[in-house]
Amino acid sequence: MSKYPLVAVLRPKNVDETVRNQAAQFAEDNLKGLYYSLLGGIFSGRDIDEIPATTQCAHLVWYAYMTSGVDIAPKSGKIITPKDFLYSENLEVVQIYGYNPADFL
């Protein structure tokens, strides 16, 4: 069996376009230009009261949605990862391509 990278397009469940736009606007206004670090968000944890000094891809998306009151990775630990999104009950799959997500377990 050939292995290909998994690409998943996910969308928050029961979240209207207004909230999605709010999250995107918050990210553009407040998170654009933050330093990237694989450990981004670890020191701030799940606290959204203060904009973190560093971020990483999954943390940035999670943080933007949390400021709009939507937790898209409720079972994640201190570091939010793409895998947390893939298995989140608050996100729905729009499209998926690649090998079986169970291969990640």
Side-chain angles (χ1 to χ4, degrees):
M1 177 176 123
S2 295
K3 297 253 181 172
Y4 297 96
L6 177 68
V7 176
V9 178
L10 307 169
R11 174 178 36 226
K13 290 181 182 176
N14 305 315
V15 174
D16 64 24
E17 186 176 355
T18 302
V19 174
R20 291 193 305 264
N21 288 339
Q22 285 174 343
Q25 191 63 55
F26 180 87
E28 185 173 351
D29 293 345
N30 299 284
L31 305 177
K32 187 176 180 181
L34 288 181
Y35 289 102
Y36 182 89
S37 169
L38 287 176
L39 300 177
I42 192 170
F43 298 111
S44 60
R46 298 181 65 80
D47 179 22
I48 62 165
D49 293 335
E50 188 175 315
I51 294 175
T54 64
T55 192
Q56 42 86 357
C57 57
H59 178 262
L60 187 141
V61 175
W62 171 83
Y63 193 94
Y65 272 102
M66 277 301 292
T67 62
S68 297
V70 179
D71 190 349
I72 58 175
K75 294 182 180 176
S76 66
K78 281 193 156 197
I79 298 178
I80 297 156
T81 69
K83 185 177 178 180
D84 295 324
F85 292 161
L86 190 59
Y87 295 105
S88 174
E89 67 271 5
N90 293 346
L91 294 169
E92 62 185 346
V93 175
V94 175
Q95 185 175 11
I96 196 163
Y97 176 80
Y99 58 94
N100 187 340
D103 292 343
F104 284 103
L105 296 175

